[in-house]
Amino acid sequence: MVAEQGGPEDQKPQSDEARSAFTPPAGVDRRASAPDDDHPTSEFAVPAGLTTEPQGPGTGSASGSAPGSGSGSETIGSAFAPPRTYSAQHSPPAFTPAHGSPMIRLTKEAPWQDRMRTMLRMPVAERPAPETVQKADEAGPAVPRVLDLTLRIGELLLAGGEGAEDVEAAMFAVTRSYGLDRCEPTVTFTLLSISHQPSLVDDPVTSSRTVRRRATDYTRLAAVFRLIDDITTEDVEVSLEEAYRRLAEIRRNRHPYSGWVLTLAAGGLAGAASVLLGGGPLVFLVAAVGAMLGDRLAWLCAGRGLPEFYQFVAAAMPPAALGVALTLTHWSDLQPSAVITGGLFALLPGRALVAGVQDGLTGFYITAAARLLEVMYLFIGIVVGVLLVLYLGLQLGAQLNPEARFIAPDRPVVQILASMALCFAFAILLQQDRSTVLAVTLNGGVAWVIYGAMARTGNISPVAATATAAGLVGLFGQLLSRYRYTSSLPFITAAIGPLLPGSATYFGLLAVAQGRVNAGLSSLSTAVATALAIAIGVNLGSEISRLFMRVPGAVGGAGRRAAKRTRGF
């Protein structure tokens, strides 16, 4: 019955299995045979009907056969062969030098401060990939939490007086230790921010934190450095929860010295400074009492919420008042000038000045300008406080002699001991760890010996002698900090105390109060020059110390990269 209705080609399938899905339908020319399954064609073969043009010389196959010879597949050029328009004489400039790009490997023996500073000073494209130190979850590190921990650590460092470049290095070390690559920290005087870009196609994650309060506590600063050192060490595993817990303990820890101990330290600093300038035991006692009264008055102003400017005004008035009172009572043997100058030593903002100049020399100009502006305001506060008392003393008939410059007697042993006592008291005021007090005291004594040998024995300019002594302070402080794997500030800041320009500041203010403006400005300019010499000398000594250290990542004679450049050198 079926055969009578048509041939086999006209038959309809009884089921889906009766006809293949690849069978051409009826009416389609099937003269072109289907490819044989045993010999499939390559997807790189030239399609039928396409003719390949003969290629020029040198563009044949990789096997070196002559163009146009053999089969059509041999005439197709290699993917690695240069194009026909290529000329070796007019080749474009190569992006990679012939000798190759040096591999950057940051040695683990170097402290994390040097390794991260090296990373920050190299271009982003040349930075090596991060080697995750801390163990992360399978899903990867929690980016927002890592960035928040980094900002909190940076806040403590910046509030403690650390330089902007060192704060950036610490933040960079934390993020890389937790496996976050392509992070860029930014530090200003009051704002910290960090940005992380997971990849070139993902949106960046940016966080910021504002630094509102500053407190000088070098013990807390050393604890933060120990935390960073543990985070960046392979042998110590510090999870995010553990890092947060330790950071909270650092914040909750009380200062190592109470308020009354700080007041006694301020008195000891002023008394030691007065002895350094030629005073005796009674001068030491009067200067110490004046400084302690000023410190308590500043604490009272701080408790009432007055700005720091007015605190310095209040702290500068009691020492000047005691000096004027000694003059009015005709106790000239007590050297009122030494009493006033000793009180100024406890107030001069040497720490902020060194940090400001260091930020400027390393390229952080916004932060440096803000720090120097803070120094200027604090210095003006001291000037206002002293000038108010001096004007009042002149109206009462006090005979203050600005020409009676300090002629220190020849007693080098007493002065060296006084300089070391000054550094010891200064270290207490900075809330330093007890293990660093002895080192900074010895560092300050060495600085005073160098200054005395150059300025008084060698008759060299006091500014040049101060810069040299400050350079040695920075050198020894940086070496000690690398030996202890901690910040260099506890070994430097207190050691520059004997070098501060207290006498030049006092005589300049006294000349201005007496109406001799030109002489006063000349003396004040000497004080400013001495202060800048201290700051630049400390920074130069720190940079010189790095010349003796191994350069992290230096391969094939590569030199150490300098700080931020702005003029293309």
Side-chain angles (χ1 to χ4, degrees):
M1 184 70 64
V2 176
E4 296 178 355
Q5 295 178 358
E9 297 177 359
D10 298 333
Q11 296 178 3
K12 297 181 180 180
Q14 301 298 327
S15 63
D16 294 338
E17 291 81 4
R19 179 169 60 90
S20 174
F22 299 97
T23 303
V28 177
D29 187 10
R30 295 175 295 175
R31 286 179 295 180
S33 59
D36 192 359
D37 294 340
D38 296 337
H39 303 282
T41 59
S42 173
E43 60 180 353
F44 298 100
V46 181
L50 179 64
T51 59
T52 59
E53 297 179 358
Q55 300 180 6
T59 60
S61 63
S63 60
S65 60
S69 64
S71 62
S73 61
E74 293 180 356
T75 61
I76 301 176
S78 172
F80 299 97
R84 290 176 296 172
T85 59
Y86 177 80
S87 175
Q89 297 179 355
H90 305 284
S91 60
F95 292 96
T96 303
H99 53 79
S101 299
M103 181 180 294
I104 304 298
R105 292 180 178 177
L106 300 181
T107 59
K108 299 299 182 182
E109 292 79 9
W112 63 265
Q113 298 99 312
D114 293 336
R115 289 188 282 120
M116 294 303 109
R117 185 181 288 107
T118 302
M119 293 282 294
L120 289 173
R121 292 184 177 184
M122 69 173 58
V124 178
E126 299 180 9
R127 293 176 182 174
E131 300 177 3
T132 305
V133 175
Q134 303 305 327
K135 185 177 180 181
D137 298 334
E138 295 181 358
V143 175
R145 296 194 65 194
V146 173
L147 297 184
D148 179 72
L149 175 67
T150 304
L151 289 174
R152 292 177 182 272
I153 290 177
E155 178 190 9
L156 285 180
L157 294 178
L158 188 62
E162 197 67 51
E165 187 179 27
D166 294 329
V167 176
E168 281 195 358
M171 296 171 65
F172 202 69
V174 174
T175 55
R176 289 183 64 86
S177 298
Y178 285 106
L180 297 187
D181 194 12
R182 293 181 295 274
C183 286
E184 288 297 331
T186 303
V187 177
T188 59
F189 186 59
T190 57
L191 181 65
L192 298 171
S193 64
I194 186 169
S195 178
H196 167 65
Q197 188 171 8
S199 66
L200 296 178
V201 297
D202 294 331
D203 295 332
V205 181
T206 303
S207 301
S208 61
R209 192 173 184 86
T210 302
V211 180
R212 303 186 183 277
R213 295 182 61 86
R214 287 175 173 79
T216 304
D217 189 344
Y218 284 175
T219 301
R220 179 180 296 177
L221 191 67
V224 176
F225 266 76
R226 285 193 295 269
L227 173 60
I228 300 173
D229 187 61
D230 291 341
I231 291 176
T232 56
T233 303
E234 294 182 350
D235 300 335
V236 181
E237 181 178 345
V238 182
S239 62
L240 282 175
E241 289 74 14
E242 177 69 15
Y244 268 107
R245 184 189 64 80
R246 290 180 58 178
L247 193 62
E249 290 180 354
I250 293 173
R251 286 180 173 274
R252 287 195 302 263
N253 282 347
R254 301 186 57 173
H255 298 301
Y257 309 107
S258 62
W260 285 104
V261 173
L262 298 181
T263 300
L264 292 175
L269 192 155
S274 64
V275 174
L276 194 65
L277 298 173
L282 194 55
V283 173
F284 175 92
L285 181 61
V286 176
V289 171
M292 288 189 290
L293 290 177
D295 185 76
R296 285 289 95 188
L297 190 58
W299 277 85
L300 180 62
C301 294
R304 297 298 183 268
L306 290 178
E308 195 172 15
F309 174 84
Y310 300 105
Q311 298 175 25
F312 271 77
V313 172
M317 296 178 69
L322 285 181
V324 171
L326 291 176
T327 304
L328 292 175
T329 55
H330 303 289
W331 283 15
S332 58
D333 295 338
L334 292 181
Q335 297 180 332
S337 299
V339 173
I340 300 175
T341 305
L344 292 179
F345 267 84
L347 300 176
L348 293 176
R351 173 184 57 86
L353 177 66
V354 171
V357 174
Q358 179 181 359
D359 289 342
L361 294 177
T362 52
F364 294 84
Y365 300 113
I366 297 177
T367 308
R371 289 185 188 272
L372 294 178
L373 185 62
E374 179 189 30
V375 171
M376 185 187 71
Y377 271 106
L378 298 181
F379 186 76
I380 291 176
I382 298 172
V383 169
V384 171
V386 175
L387 281 180
L388 287 176
V389 176
L390 292 181
Y391 275 124
L392 180 61
L394 292 176
Q395 295 300 323
L396 296 177
Q399 300 296 326
L400 296 172
N401 186 12
E403 302 299 334
R405 296 281 177 170
F406 295 119
I407 303 176
D410 189 11
R411 45 178 189 174
V413 177
V414 175
Q415 290 182 338
I416 292 174
L417 294 177
S419 66
M420 296 177 66
L422 191 153
C423 295
F424 178 83
F426 203 173
I428 300 299
L429 281 176
L430 295 174
Q431 301 279 3
Q432 288 192 196
D433 192 2
R434 292 178 175 85
S435 60
T436 63
V437 172
L438 179 60
V440 72
T441 301
L442 295 176
N443 198 11
V446 171
W448 180 257
V449 169
I450 299 299
Y451 171 80
M454 294 181 63
R456 299 187 177 180
T457 304
N459 294 323
I460 300 176
S461 170
V463 176
T466 300
T468 304
L472 291 177
V473 167
L475 174 63
F476 294 149
Q478 197 67 236
L479 294 177
L480 287 172
S481 68
R482 290 301 182 266
Y483 176 74
R484 298 284 298 272
Y485 284 85
T486 184
S487 173
S488 61
L489 290 181
F491 302 99
I492 291 177
T493 307
I496 64 175
L499 306 176
L500 293 175
S503 59
T505 303
Y506 164 69
F507 285 112
L509 296 179
L510 180 57
V512 171
Q514 292 180 339
R516 300 182 299 110
V517 180
N518 292 334
L521 293 179
S522 176
S523 183
L524 290 177
S525 63
T526 302
V528 172
T530 304
L532 292 178
I534 293 173
I536 295 175
V538 168
N539 181 264
L540 182 60
S542 300
E543 294 295 333
I544 290 176
S545 67
R546 296 190 179 99
L547 298 178
F548 304 100
M549 301 176 186
R550 183 179 179 182
V551 181
V555 179
R560 186 188 305 273
R561 296 183 183 271
K564 294 182 178 180
R565 301 299 183 93
T566 58
R567 294 174 177 85
F569 297 136

PDB file of all heavy atoms in Angstrom, residues 135-143 146 178-180 240:
ATOM      1  N   LYS A 135      47.120  34.662  57.149  1.00  0.00           N
ATOM      2  CA  LYS A 135      46.230  33.671  56.560  1.00  0.00           C
ATOM      3  C   LYS A 135      44.854  34.269  56.358  1.00  0.00           C
ATOM      4  O   LYS A 135      44.258  34.815  57.280  1.00  0.00           O
ATOM      5  CB  LYS A 135      46.153  32.448  57.477  1.00  0.00           C
ATOM      6  CG  LYS A 135      45.332  31.303  56.898  1.00  0.00           C
ATOM      7  CD  LYS A 135      45.359  30.112  57.833  1.00  0.00           C
ATOM      8  CE  LYS A 135      44.538  28.969  57.262  1.00  0.00           C
ATOM      9  NZ  LYS A 135      44.531  27.801  58.172  1.00  0.00           N
ATOM     10  N   ALA A 136      44.333  34.143  55.156  1.00  0.00           N
ATOM     11  CA  ALA A 136      43.013  34.671  54.829  1.00  0.00           C
ATOM     12  C   ALA A 136      42.045  33.519  54.588  1.00  0.00           C
ATOM     13  O   ALA A 136      42.426  32.362  54.413  1.00  0.00           O
ATOM     14  CB  ALA A 136      43.081  35.564  53.597  1.00  0.00           C
ATOM     15  N   ASP A 137      40.751  33.836  54.598  1.00  0.00           N
ATOM     16  CA  ASP A 137      39.737  32.838  54.321  1.00  0.00           C
ATOM     17  C   ASP A 137      39.783  32.438  52.856  1.00  0.00           C
ATOM     18  O   ASP A 137      40.426  33.071  52.021  1.00  0.00           O
ATOM     19  CB  ASP A 137      38.352  33.388  54.675  1.00  0.00           C
ATOM     20  CG  ASP A 137      38.253  33.723  56.155  1.00  0.00           C
ATOM     21  OD1 ASP A 137      39.004  33.100  56.941  1.00  0.00           O
ATOM     22  OD2 ASP A 137      37.447  34.599  56.519  1.00  0.00           O
ATOM     23  N   GLU A 138      39.056  31.341  52.527  1.00  0.00           N
ATOM     24  CA  GLU A 138      39.028  30.893  51.146  1.00  0.00           C
ATOM     25  C   GLU A 138      38.379  31.929  50.237  1.00  0.00           C
ATOM     26  O   GLU A 138      38.712  32.035  49.066  1.00  0.00           O
ATOM     27  CB  GLU A 138      38.278  29.567  51.062  1.00  0.00           C
ATOM     28  CG  GLU A 138      38.990  28.421  51.801  1.00  0.00           C
ATOM     29  CD  GLU A 138      38.241  27.130  51.670  1.00  0.00           C
ATOM     30  OE1 GLU A 138      37.160  27.150  51.030  1.00  0.00           O
ATOM     31  OE2 GLU A 138      38.712  26.096  52.180  1.00  0.00           O
ATOM     32  N   ALA A 139      37.435  32.661  50.767  1.00  0.00           N
ATOM     33  CA  ALA A 139      36.764  33.682  49.959  1.00  0.00           C
ATOM     34  C   ALA A 139      37.596  34.938  49.788  1.00  0.00           C
ATOM     35  O   ALA A 139      37.192  35.840  49.071  1.00  0.00           O
ATOM     36  CB  ALA A 139      35.419  34.045  50.592  1.00  0.00           C
ATOM     37  N   GLY A 140      38.764  35.012  50.431  1.00  0.00           N
ATOM     38  CA  GLY A 140      39.605  36.189  50.306  1.00  0.00           C
ATOM     39  C   GLY A 140      39.431  37.104  51.499  1.00  0.00           C
ATOM     40  O   GLY A 140      38.527  36.950  52.332  1.00  0.00           O
ATOM     41  N   PRO A 141      40.288  38.093  51.643  1.00  0.00           N
ATOM     42  CA  PRO A 141      40.209  39.003  52.783  1.00  0.00           C
ATOM     43  C   PRO A 141      38.991  39.917  52.694  1.00  0.00           C
ATOM     44  O   PRO A 141      38.528  40.259  51.607  1.00  0.00           O
ATOM     45  CB  PRO A 141      41.519  39.795  52.674  1.00  0.00           C
ATOM     46  CG  PRO A 141      41.859  39.752  51.219  1.00  0.00           C
ATOM     47  CD  PRO A 141      41.388  38.429  50.728  1.00  0.00           C
ATOM     48  N   ALA A 142      38.486  40.299  53.844  1.00  0.00           N
ATOM     49  CA  ALA A 142      37.366  41.243  53.897  1.00  0.00           C
ATOM     50  C   ALA A 142      37.921  42.641  53.635  1.00  0.00           C
ATOM     51  O   ALA A 142      38.537  43.240  54.512  1.00  0.00           O
ATOM     52  CB  ALA A 142      36.671  41.162  55.246  1.00  0.00           C
ATOM     53  N   VAL A 143      37.727  43.127  52.427  1.00  0.00           N
ATOM     54  CA  VAL A 143      38.352  44.382  52.010  1.00  0.00           C
ATOM     55  C   VAL A 143      37.955  45.551  52.910  1.00  0.00           C
ATOM     56  O   VAL A 143      38.817  46.306  53.373  1.00  0.00           O
ATOM     57  CB  VAL A 143      38.027  44.668  50.529  1.00  0.00           C
ATOM     58  CG1 VAL A 143      38.571  46.022  50.107  1.00  0.00           C
ATOM     59  CG2 VAL A 143      38.617  43.574  49.653  1.00  0.00           C
ATOM     60  N   VAL A 146      39.784  45.278  56.293  1.00  0.00           N
ATOM     61  CA  VAL A 146      41.227  45.517  56.186  1.00  0.00           C
ATOM     62  C   VAL A 146      41.512  47.003  56.026  1.00  0.00           C
ATOM     63  O   VAL A 146      42.422  47.562  56.654  1.00  0.00           O
ATOM     64  CB  VAL A 146      41.809  44.714  55.012  1.00  0.00           C
ATOM     65  CG1 VAL A 146      43.269  45.085  54.786  1.00  0.00           C
ATOM     66  CG2 VAL A 146      41.694  43.219  55.288  1.00  0.00           C
ATOM     67  N   TYR A 178      47.779  41.546  54.274  1.00  0.00           N
ATOM     68  CA  TYR A 178      46.496  40.853  54.187  1.00  0.00           C
ATOM     69  C   TYR A 178      46.076  40.591  52.748  1.00  0.00           C
ATOM     70  O   TYR A 178      44.917  40.274  52.497  1.00  0.00           O
ATOM     71  CB  TYR A 178      45.414  41.654  54.912  1.00  0.00           C
ATOM     72  CG  TYR A 178      45.530  41.555  56.415  1.00  0.00           C
ATOM     73  CD1 TYR A 178      46.000  42.623  57.164  1.00  0.00           C
ATOM     74  CD2 TYR A 178      45.198  40.382  57.083  1.00  0.00           C
ATOM     75  CE1 TYR A 178      46.127  42.530  58.542  1.00  0.00           C
ATOM     76  CE2 TYR A 178      45.321  40.279  58.456  1.00  0.00           C
ATOM     77  CZ  TYR A 178      45.780  41.353  59.181  1.00  0.00           C
ATOM     78  OH  TYR A 178      45.909  41.249  60.542  1.00  0.00           O
ATOM     79  N   GLY A 179      46.994  40.722  51.796  1.00  0.00           N
ATOM     80  CA  GLY A 179      46.745  40.294  50.439  1.00  0.00           C
ATOM     81  C   GLY A 179      46.052  41.289  49.541  1.00  0.00           C
ATOM     82  O   GLY A 179      45.578  40.899  48.465  1.00  0.00           O
ATOM     83  N   LEU A 180      45.977  42.550  49.909  1.00  0.00           N
ATOM     84  CA  LEU A 180      45.317  43.552  49.071  1.00  0.00           C
ATOM     85  C   LEU A 180      46.368  44.254  48.227  1.00  0.00           C
ATOM     86  O   LEU A 180      47.203  45.010  48.740  1.00  0.00           O
ATOM     87  CB  LEU A 180      44.558  44.571  49.927  1.00  0.00           C
ATOM     88  CG  LEU A 180      43.404  44.031  50.763  1.00  0.00           C
ATOM     89  CD1 LEU A 180      42.652  45.181  51.407  1.00  0.00           C
ATOM     90  CD2 LEU A 180      42.463  43.175  49.938  1.00  0.00           C
ATOM     91  N   LEU A 240      42.545  39.242  61.465  1.00  0.00           N
ATOM     92  CA  LEU A 240      41.913  40.552  61.571  1.00  0.00           C
ATOM     93  C   LEU A 240      41.311  40.754  62.956  1.00  0.00           C
ATOM     94  O   LEU A 240      41.409  41.848  63.532  1.00  0.00           O
ATOM     95  CB  LEU A 240      40.821  40.698  60.502  1.00  0.00           C
ATOM     96  CG  LEU A 240      41.296  40.997  59.076  1.00  0.00           C
ATOM     97  CD1 LEU A 240      40.119  40.990  58.123  1.00  0.00           C
ATOM     98  CD2 LEU A 240      42.006  42.330  59.026  1.00  0.00           C
TER      99      LEU A 240
END
